[in-house]
């Protein structure tokens, strides 16, 4: 499944700020600094005009101790709103990272995550098999409502709880739609059931016996 990529730049704070100042001074590859330069802000903002069919964008980096973290990339449509596709978002990130790499003459480390995501990054293979078993046999117009479907769904929920899996509700919903071909409405409902079940089972674990 395709996902939004992420960017982290790590190193001494003075080198991180110096890298941001280089972008401000040189404005390479069409990028320009879009926040007050030298104001000591913890958020650095950059803008880029439309290119190669991608809309104009604004990119935000959050400055934490020893790290610059990509906070968001949004289309710069003024009052018209809108959002970037995953492809547009990742292309913009790659273009920005390439520009930074050209300016980085220090020991800063740059980490860019992959745009490919697997559910087994967050749950075990056994849990994935239980999810696939539920998905393959369930009626996609009724979700987990049929007793037999609910039993298979419950086995998956209990498995991920026992694993203390890091699976996020939004990731599960997207996986159901993009990889298992569920309709969006039922994917969202199942993801909501998943979140409720995780909270309920965690609360039960914390209840004195």
């Amino acid at each position: 499944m395709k996902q939004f990529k992420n960017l982290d730049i790590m190193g001494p704070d003075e080198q991180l700020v110096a890298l941001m100042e280089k972008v401000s001074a040189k404005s390479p590859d069409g990028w320009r600094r879009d926040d007050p330069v030298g104001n000591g802000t913890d958020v650095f903002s950059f803008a880029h005009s439309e290119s190669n069919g991608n809309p104009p964008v604004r990119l935000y980096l959050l400055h934490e101790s020893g790290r610059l973290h990509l906070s968001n990339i949004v289309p710069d449509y003024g009052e018209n709103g809108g959002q970037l596709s995953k492809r547009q978002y990742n292309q913009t990130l790659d273009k920005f990272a390439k520009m930074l790499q050209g300016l980085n003459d220090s020991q800063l480390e740059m980490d860019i995550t992959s745009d490919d995501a697997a559910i087994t990054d967050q749950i075990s293979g056994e849990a994935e098999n239980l999810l696939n078993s539920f998905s393959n046999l369930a009626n996609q117009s009724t979700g987990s409502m049929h007793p037999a479907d609910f039993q298979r769904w419950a086995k998956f929920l209990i498995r991920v709880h026992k694993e203390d899996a890091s699976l996020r509700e939004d990731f599960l919903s997207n996986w159901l739609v993009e990889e298992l071909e569920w309709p969006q409405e039922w994917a969202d409902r199942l993801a909501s059931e998943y979140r409720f079940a995780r909270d309920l089972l965690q609360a039960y674990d914390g209840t004195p016996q």
Side-chain angles (χ1 to χ4, degrees):
M1 182 178 76
K2 292 299 181 182
Q3 65 177 349
F4 293 106
K5 300 172 74 170
N6 199 13
L7 168 67
D8 283 302
I9 310 162
M10 295 154 288
D13 287 318
E14 61 272 15
Q15 293 183 16
L16 293 172
V17 174
L19 181 59
M20 298 296 96
E21 299 300 335
K22 288 181 182 179
V23 182
S24 306
K26 297 185 178 181
S27 299
D29 300 329
W31 289 97
R32 67 180 187 278
R33 181 83 172 269
D34 199 41
D35 61 82
V37 177
N39 68 347
T41 181
D42 290 331
V43 178
F44 295 96
S45 174
F46 299 90
H48 195 281
S49 58
E50 182 177 0
S51 64
N52 298 326
N54 289 336
V57 296
R58 292 179 185 271
L59 181 149
Y60 299 93
L61 289 174
L62 178 64
H63 184 198
E64 302 170 337
S65 179
R67 182 177 79 138
L68 287 167
H69 172 69
L70 178 65
S71 174
N72 204 359
I73 306 175
V74 297
D76 189 8
Y77 289 139
E79 297 179 356
N80 294 328
Q83 67 182 62
L84 298 176
S85 67
K86 291 178 182 177
R87 179 188 62 80
Q88 291 171 326
Y89 187 101
N90 293 337
Q91 285 182 346
T92 301
L93 184 154
D94 288 339
K95 181 181 297 184
F96 183 75
K98 182 178 180 180
M99 178 270 295
L100 291 183
Q101 288 169 341
L103 294 175
N104 180 24
D105 56 6
S106 61
Q107 300 301 313
L108 296 175
E109 297 181 13
M110 191 173 300
D111 180 40
I112 305 174
T113 59
S114 171
D115 61 351
D116 288 317
I119 199 168
T120 47
D121 294 335
Q122 302 183 41
I123 64 175
S124 69
E126 180 181 349
E128 182 189 24
N129 290 338
L130 290 172
L131 177 61
N132 289 340
S133 176
F134 160 73
S135 178
N136 292 336
L137 297 172
N139 184 336
Q140 291 193 359
S141 65
T142 58
S144 62
M145 295 177 64
H146 188 281
D149 293 335
F150 176 77
Q151 289 299 319
R152 286 184 285 269
W153 176 237
K155 287 180 180 179
F156 165 72
L157 297 174
I158 293 169
R159 180 69 255 169
V160 294
H161 172 69
K162 288 182 176 180
E163 295 174 1
D164 193 23
S166 61
L167 179 63
R168 303 187 313 273
E169 179 181 346
D170 60 333
F171 188 99
L172 175 60
S173 177
N174 290 335
W175 187 266
L176 287 167
V177 171
E178 297 182 28
E179 298 295 324
L180 301 181
E181 300 183 344
W182 279 77
Q184 186 69 59
E185 179 183 0
W186 264 108
D188 290 342
R189 290 178 66 173
L190 288 169
S192 181
E193 290 179 14
Y194 164 81
R195 181 70 269 163
F196 176 78
R198 292 296 302 272
D199 290 343
L200 179 64
L201 291 169
Q202 287 171 3
Y204 175 80
D205 285 348
T207 303
Q209 298 299 313

